[in-house]
Amino acid sequence: MIKHSITLPTNQSGYWFVVNKGRLFLTDKGLVPQGKLADLAIVAEPEQICWLGQYQQQPCYLLVDHDQITDDSCWHSARSLLSQDEQLFQLAARALQVSLFLQTHRFCGQCGSAMHLVNWELAALCNKCGHRCYPRIAPCVLVGITRPGQILLARSSRHKPGFFSILAGFVESAETLEQAAVREVKEEVGVDIKNLSYVGSQPWPFPHSLMTGFTADYVRGSIVCQPNEIAEAAWFDLNDLPEVPPAETLSGRIIRQLQQK
Ligand SMILES: [Zn+2]
């Protein structure tokens, strides 16, 4: 659970996840600042501070700064931590998602009054109508589809030419993960799948997704790309793949797992 602190623990040594508009403050060596806040060259004016957890026996804090960007080169995507350390990335993911929650729940979506943070759980409560909000998490399914010796990969219209991945899509209201996987695959490339098998999950703070991963077997259908989302898709030999996501990402892990099957 996240603890809220009202005083800035400037003399407390720890790791400082300073967030501004979805980006993370990193040192010139690309590291999360560590030490006493008073001794660090963190120039952000903190609006809110939260205890996030522990890393290497040290406390980790989120320090939210919504407004001030002093030196643009210090602010990074959390993606740069993904290759450093999984636990560090997870703490950064939490920092980014909590920061977004604090930023977007200052006022009640139901009556427009000011909200305040509940002190025993991470929630925002409306002073006037009692509306309570929790941080939003958007579940997303990733599906690695194979037929003998081949995998179906697609290039999203957001990605550069030559970069392919497995299919992905958001879960809709009142839908199971498995239904979302079948529907997304049919919508995006027009093929039917079976034998869905769960692989794992990964928090993905861009801005608040939870990736869930599956493998599946191809059943029938020719590839027909959904024009708004998929630029191109094709069957690739499992031992001759184009550029795919790195192994630290869940999609990269699924692709490598299918190659070893
Ligand atoms: Zn309200």
Side-chain angles (χ1 to χ4, degrees):
M1 186 175 57
I2 304 250
K3 294 176 203 160
H4 305 294
S5 170
I6 46 169
T7 51
L8 202 57
T10 45
N11 287 318
Q12 169 84 58
S13 194
Y15 286 89
W16 298 89
F17 292 79
V18 188
V19 176
N20 184 315
K21 296 187 174 73
R23 291 194 295 167
L24 206 59
F25 180 92
L26 297 177
T27 67
D28 49 11
K29 290 180 177 148
L31 304 172
V32 175
Q34 190 250 329
K36 290 182 181 173
L37 186 62
D39 299 335
L40 298 168
I42 296 176
V43 289
E45 285 289 324
E47 292 187 359
Q48 275 164 313
I49 183 163
C50 286
W51 185 84
L52 286 172
Q54 283 221 315
Y55 179 70
Q56 295 180 342
Q57 282 92 49
Q58 296 240 4
C60 298
Y61 295 98
L62 159 66
L63 218 148
V64 185
D65 178 4
H66 299 311
D67 303 317
Q68 301 198 7
I69 292 269
T70 45
D71 181 355
D72 202 57
S73 66
C74 302
W75 299 90
H76 299 267
S77 163
R79 279 183 175 84
S80 57
L81 296 180
L82 195 54
S83 54
Q84 281 186 33
D85 185 316
E86 194 179 342
Q87 195 191 348
L88 210 55
F89 175 74
Q90 200 167 356
L91 284 159
R94 194 166 170 82
L96 288 166
Q97 289 180 245
V98 171
S99 163
L100 182 68
F101 173 68
L102 299 175
Q103 184 185 338
T104 54
H105 290 80
R106 293 165 170 179
F107 299 98
C108 175
Q110 188 159 262
C111 78
S113 302
M115 299 190 95
H116 70 272
L117 287 176
V118 177
N119 60 11
W120 61 274
E121 63 174 353
L122 186 61
L125 186 65
C126 175
N127 294 326
K128 194 173 176 189
C129 76
H131 181 50
R132 186 182 289 246
C133 295
Y134 296 91
R136 183 175 159 200
I137 298 168
C140 181
V141 287
L142 300 169
V143 197
I145 306 161
T146 51
R147 63 186 187 188
Q150 291 192 312
I151 183 168
L152 203 169
L153 298 176
R155 180 169 71 82
S156 154
S157 32
R158 302 184 308 275
H159 285 137
K160 60 180 180 177
F163 181 87
F164 286 79
S165 187
I166 55 176
L167 293 165
F170 286 105
V171 180
E172 293 190 349
S173 301
E175 193 174 47
T176 66
L177 296 175
E178 293 81 359
Q179 288 167 337
V182 170
R183 175 187 53 75
E184 277 290 341
V185 168
K186 186 75 176 173
E187 282 176 8
E188 292 193 342
V189 292
V191 308
D192 294 316
I193 56 174
K194 66 175 182 183
N195 299 335
L196 274 172
S197 176
Y198 179 71
V199 176
S201 62
Q202 183 177 43
W204 199 246
F206 310 108
H208 41 55
S209 298
L210 173 65
M211 297 297 183
T212 62
F214 294 86
T215 58
D217 294 332
Y218 167 77
V219 177
R220 70 180 75 80
S222 304
I223 294 174
V224 180
C225 296
Q226 188 182 44
N228 295 333
E229 297 207 24
I230 306 294
E232 52 182 322
W235 291 101
F236 290 88
D237 287 343
L238 276 161
N239 55 16
D240 185 21
L241 296 184
E243 187 188 350
V244 295
E248 300 86 20
T249 63
L250 183 57
S251 48
R253 191 176 124 202
I254 293 169
I255 292 168
R256 284 156 187 82
Q257 183 176 313
L258 288 167
Q259 279 185 301
Q260 285 158 13
K261 226 164 99 175

